[in-house]
Amino acid sequence: MKSIKPTNYDQYLFHSGKHYQAYDFMGAHPGEYNGESGTKFTVWAPNAEKISVVGDFNDWQKNKNQLKKIEDSGLWVGFIPEARPGDKYKYWITGYNGQERVKADPYAFKAEKKPKTASIVTDMDKYQWNDSKWLKTRENTDILKEPVSIYEVHLGSWKRNSKNEVYNYKEIADLLIPYLQEMNYTHVELLPIAEHPFDGSWGYQTTGYFALTSRYGSPEDFKYFVDKCHQARIGVIIDWVPSHFCKDDHGLRLFDGTELYESNIKLRAENPQWDTLNFDFGQPEVWSFLISNAIFWFEEYHIDGIRADAVSNMLYLDYGKENSNWVPNEYGGRENIDAIKFLRKMNEVVFSQYPGVMMIAEESTSWPQVTSPGYIGGLGFNMKWNMGWMNDTLEYMKSDPVFRKWEHNKLTFSLMYTYSENFVLPLSHDEVVHGKRSLLDKMPGDYWQKFANLRLLYAYMMAHPGKKLLFMGGEFGQFIEWNYKQELDWFLLDYTKHQEIQNFVRDLNQTYLNESPLWELDYSPKGFAWIEPNDNSQSVLSLIRYNTNDQPVIIALNFTPVPRDNYRIGVPKEGVYEVILNSDEDIYGGSEYSGKTKYQTDAREYHGFPYSIELTLPPLAGIYLKPAKDKRKISRP
């Protein structure tokens, strides 16, 4: 390369918010320039008076390697022959008012392991990928019509070694991937793995957006993890935080002595609920920073999806604030117009470059059209967490079965809006911390009933339209709340009941994969029909899921500890119905109340269907059935 200066076109795109690979020239890039080896540095700091690069290569002396400001631009550039991959560095910035700050590189690809905070010069081109077949298949796949069962993981506390030390990405790959395969998950979702200073933020307060956290190893180690997941046919989703950033002095806050990444309007910048700073989406360079960061994770690490955290905080100027502590938009409203435009553009850019990936919004309000395209007024995501379903369902499941008949609408209300968005059903980390108790401990009743209720919860989730997500530990009945400081209580698998709930989740996932009616039409009303949604007196739900060929799976769920003998439901087809899953089986810790595996239809119209069957519904249990194989036509109600 002849020049270290970004091209005029690169500068134009960057300053107009349209540079979607800004990481290609921003930050530290080792290489050869004018025949000389070294590292090129570029940083955006328009209001700085002077910037030096300090690091291992100059004994951290601030006057040795000064950058030059590009005229009429906020970019500073420089070339340091002595700087090599592996060297630690920071920017020594003299602000416009003479105040000095020492900052990590916003575009650094690697950072020191906490509590140290320096950036590290990194060569990102050393890993040889082996997942081209996976990527080609992904490009031509409509993920909305595929099975998606996600295992949500915090890498630092899934498992640890005998010294209570975290595993690195390679070690985790060799442990976690076989487990994901054994448990029949399709995807793994990782809590944020960009660099963050405080373990207790779980990664949701970021300092290094392009820097993979060094807690678990190197960029090559994580590429190995993703590559091995793909070779095992497992997709990788990461949590990503484009909404706000932490205030640590080495991070983005007051980067050049002024508000660059945050708003210069204090009430908009300050985020009191998390003590962080909100990004300023009216700043085009922030668009280039964040959109290129999303692209970076897909391009450099081959990930398959992003779950954007705290989207509601982006959309509403008054989110989490008292009435007097926010500034309305230019029309007097609470909507963040710049953030809305940003989200639309970000999703448009991601899907144009990476068809087949997932862009998932964690949006906790009823903002419309989150998963509709931007050109019709949507935000452009292709999936959204269904927080309403999660809240209603857990409230229902926590109630004593005696009182559930009066809470029945909490199970059925979600079907009033389930096709308004492309939903993911999350039972996530947020529901098992801060005094909320673990999923198992939320369940009412005695010891046996707690496990039965948990199996029933999972059976209901898998029957409901939408993709699925379960946080680690939930699959084997973790009894205590999640603690990020220690590994999950794997010793519980020495006890039969925890082995049995794990067996059930494994087989439930397998049933889900095997039966296309449970996922093929997740986002179409053609894929779902109630049989009987209103039997609140007995707290029983019955429903049908269909695939594109009209093949049904019948699900009946009994939410009381009272068995329901001779429970008649309508069905769409004459013949024999086979039980393909029963949460009350002995191998799952059930009562084995009914060992019946086949039901013959009666020519008796019921629930609007031409045929019906009489089921034996076990206590606190769900059963899945489907017609024995034949070619007779199915009649819908």
Side-chain angles (χ1 to χ4, degrees):
M1 185 178 293
K2 293 182 179 180
S3 175
I4 62 170
K5 179 182 175 181
T7 67
N8 290 337
Y9 189 54
D10 278 331
Q11 293 181 57
Y12 161 75
L13 291 176
F14 178 75
H15 291 304
S16 60
K18 299 176 182 178
H19 206 306
Y20 307 135
Q21 280 85 27
Y23 58 88
D24 279 343
F25 73 92
M26 295 293 290
H29 290 270
E32 189 174 287
Y33 302 90
N34 283 329
E36 189 174 19
S37 295
T39 299
K40 174 177 72 73
F41 295 87
T42 308
V43 63
W44 176 55
N47 300 304
E49 293 181 353
K50 185 170 62 175
I51 300 180
S52 299
V53 185
V54 295
D56 293 337
F57 39 82
N58 61 16
D59 297 324
W60 299 85
Q61 299 299 307
K62 69 177 182 178
N63 295 318
K64 284 191 175 181
N65 295 109
Q66 294 189 15
L67 301 183
K68 293 182 179 180
K69 188 175 184 179
I70 299 174
E71 189 174 349
D72 299 323
S73 173
L75 297 175
W76 297 70
V77 299
F79 176 71
I80 303 176
E82 296 81 10
R84 295 286 190 272
D87 284 343
K88 297 182 286 293
Y89 71 98
K90 282 187 177 182
Y91 296 118
W92 193 297
I93 300 174
T94 304
Y96 77 99
N97 59 357
Q99 187 174 359
E100 295 184 328
R101 287 177 168 82
V102 182
K103 294 287 190 177
D105 187 348
Y107 285 86
F109 298 140
K110 190 176 179 181
E112 278 188 292
K113 190 174 180 179
K114 61 92 182 181
K116 296 181 179 180
T117 58
S119 302
I120 299 176
V121 178
T122 304
D123 180 357
M124 292 293 285
D125 298 325
K126 294 191 292 185
Y127 187 82
Q128 296 295 315
W129 288 91
N130 298 286
D131 64 346
S132 57
K133 183 178 179 181
W134 169 273
L135 296 180
K136 185 66 176 177
T137 300
R138 185 186 75 187
E139 184 178 341
N140 297 299
T141 297
D142 183 354
I143 193 64
L144 299 181
K145 297 179 181 178
E146 294 295 315
V148 176
S149 181
I150 303 166
Y151 188 60
E152 189 188 30
V153 171
H154 176 258
L155 288 176
S157 58
W158 181 69
K159 279 188 177 180
R160 294 190 173 190
N161 64 25
S162 58
K163 298 179 181 179
N164 196 35
E165 297 169 336
V166 299
Y167 288 114
N168 68 32
Y169 297 110
K170 280 190 171 182
E171 293 168 332
I172 291 172
D174 295 339
L175 294 169
L176 179 56
I177 293 171
Y179 185 72
L180 294 168
Q181 291 177 298
E182 177 190 349
M183 295 299 295
N184 300 308
Y185 284 101
T186 64
H187 293 75
V188 61
E189 180 174 324
L190 306 177
L191 271 61
I193 52 173
E195 197 56 76
H196 52 282
F198 177 46
D199 289 347
S201 79
W202 315 328
Y204 291 100
Q205 294 188 11
T206 307
T207 49
Y209 276 77
F210 292 85
L212 180 82
T213 180
S214 295
R215 286 166 172 79
Y216 316 120
S218 68
E220 288 72 32
D221 293 337
F222 184 61
K223 289 178 180 182
Y224 173 92
F225 173 89
V226 176
D227 204 358
K228 289 297 183 181
C229 281
H230 288 172
Q231 292 171 47
R233 301 179 65 187
I234 294 165
V236 179
I237 304 165
I238 65 166
D239 281 9
W240 183 59
V241 192
S243 175
H244 61 112
F245 56 90
C246 59
K247 295 180 176 180
D248 293 60
D249 196 51
H250 68 282
L252 300 178
R253 175 178 175 267
L254 296 173
F255 189 76
D256 65 356
T258 66
E259 297 88 353
L260 286 190
Y261 292 89
E262 68 272 34
S263 173
N264 60 7
I265 302 173
K266 186 175 181 181
L267 289 180
R268 287 190 179 175
E270 290 290 337
N271 194 322
Q273 60 182 331
W274 299 309
D275 192 27
T276 56
L277 293 170
N278 296 319
F279 278 105
D280 179 8
F281 295 103
Q283 186 75 271
E285 290 86 356
V286 170
W287 282 43
S288 290
F289 176 76
L290 287 173
I291 296 177
S292 66
N293 183 238
I295 294 297
F296 169 80
W297 288 97
F298 288 110
E299 180 67 24
E300 290 294 333
Y301 291 112
H302 293 200
I303 64 165
D304 304 285
I306 279 174
R307 192 215 68 151
D309 182 67
V311 171
S312 300
N313 184 65
M314 302 170 71
L315 295 173
Y316 298 98
L317 294 167
D318 63 344
Y319 188 80
K321 296 182 178 181
E322 301 294 333
N323 288 335
S324 60
N325 287 332
W326 63 281
V327 178
N329 63 33
E330 59 195 280
Y331 304 106
R334 58 199 287 250
E335 300 81 11
N336 189 333
I337 296 170
D338 292 324
I340 295 166
K341 293 176 181 178
F342 165 80
L343 289 170
R344 288 174 178 160
K345 177 54 69 173
M346 176 193 70
N347 285 314
E348 175 192 323
V349 171
V350 168
F351 287 125
S352 69
Q353 296 193 28
Y354 300 98
V357 301
M358 289 176 276
M359 293 296 289
I360 308 167
E362 189 254 328
E363 201 286 303
S364 57
T365 74
S366 56
W367 187 279
Q369 295 186 287
V370 172
T371 56
S372 296
Y375 59 81
I376 62 169
L379 296 182
F381 292 93
N382 62 349
M383 294 184 194
K384 172 186 173 177
W385 273 21
N386 193 336
M387 310 296 280
W389 171 88
M390 178 273 297
N391 284 314
D392 284 349
T393 299
L394 291 181
E395 282 300 311
Y396 178 89
M397 292 303 301
K398 287 190 291 187
S399 64
D400 190 295
V402 172
F403 304 112
R404 284 178 176 173
K405 66 176 69 176
W406 292 288
E407 304 285 340
H408 196 73
N409 67 307
K410 284 187 167 65
L411 291 181
T412 58
F413 178 69
S414 59
L415 268 300
M416 299 293 289
Y417 62 84
T418 198
Y419 298 110
S420 65
E421 301 280 7
N422 301 331
F423 281 119
V424 175
L425 308 182
L427 294 174
S428 75
H429 66 279
D430 278 330
E431 309 320 312
V432 294
V433 290
H434 301 323
K436 295 178 183 178
R437 297 183 294 167
S438 69
L439 291 180
L440 180 61
D441 201 26
K442 293 181 201 287
M443 300 298 107
D446 59 25
Y447 188 70
W448 184 90
Q449 290 176 342
K450 280 183 175 292
F451 283 92
N453 270 302
L454 189 60
R455 295 193 301 272
L456 179 56
L457 167 62
Y458 296 156
Y460 167 63
M461 176 175 73
M462 205 63 80
H464 194 288
K467 308 311 181 187
K468 325 297 178 187
L469 178 143
L470 181 63
F471 184 56
M472 63 182 197
E475 79 279 9
F476 64 80
Q478 174 97 358
F479 241 129
I480 64 171
E481 286 189 345
W482 169 53
N483 182 351
Y484 71 90
K485 297 179 181 179
Q486 63 189 45
E487 72 171 13
L488 297 176
D489 289 340
W490 293 101
F491 68 86
L492 291 174
L493 289 172
D494 294 336
Y495 300 90
T496 303
K497 286 297 179 191
H498 296 274
Q499 294 174 14
E500 292 165 341
I501 188 72
Q502 187 187 51
N503 290 341
F504 178 69
V505 172
R506 179 197 63 219
D507 291 355
L508 180 63
N509 277 336
Q510 185 64 66
T511 302
Y512 173 72
L513 293 177
N514 291 346
E515 305 299 334
S516 61
L518 297 175
W519 43 263
E520 195 171 35
L521 293 174
D522 264 329
Y523 304 124
S524 169
K526 294 179 181 179
F528 177 89
W530 285 117
I531 298 174
E532 175 54 270
N534 297 317
D535 189 4
N536 66 305
S537 63
Q538 298 186 85
S539 297
V540 174
L541 280 181
S542 51
L543 56 96
I544 306 177
R545 298 295 307 277
Y546 293 102
N547 65 10
T548 53
N549 295 322
D550 252 6
Q551 296 170 332
V553 169
I554 311 293
I555 299 103
L557 305 156
N558 177 13
F559 290 90
T560 74
V562 179
R564 307 297 180 188
D565 296 315
N566 307 121
Y567 189 88
R568 184 172 293 274
I569 63 171
V571 292
K573 180 178 179 181
E574 182 183 17
V576 175
Y577 282 75
E578 301 173 330
V579 175
I580 57 175
L581 188 73
N582 179 356
S583 72
D584 191 54
E585 285 189 45
D586 180 65
I587 59 170
Y588 306 138
S591 66
E592 201 76 38
Y593 182 81
S594 171
K596 197 167 183 180
T597 59
K598 295 184 179 181
Y599 293 90
Q600 176 67 49
T601 58
D602 299 325
R604 176 178 170 183
E605 186 176 341
Y606 213 73
H607 291 137
F609 294 89
Y611 309 101
S612 58
I613 54 178
E614 279 193 346
L615 299 174
T616 300
L617 294 182
L620 294 173
I623 61 173
Y624 285 47
L625 309 97
K626 71 175 184 179
K629 291 183 180 179
D630 65 36
K631 297 182 180 179
R632 280 173 287 185
K633 188 176 180 181
I634 294 169
S635 300
R636 285 180 178 259

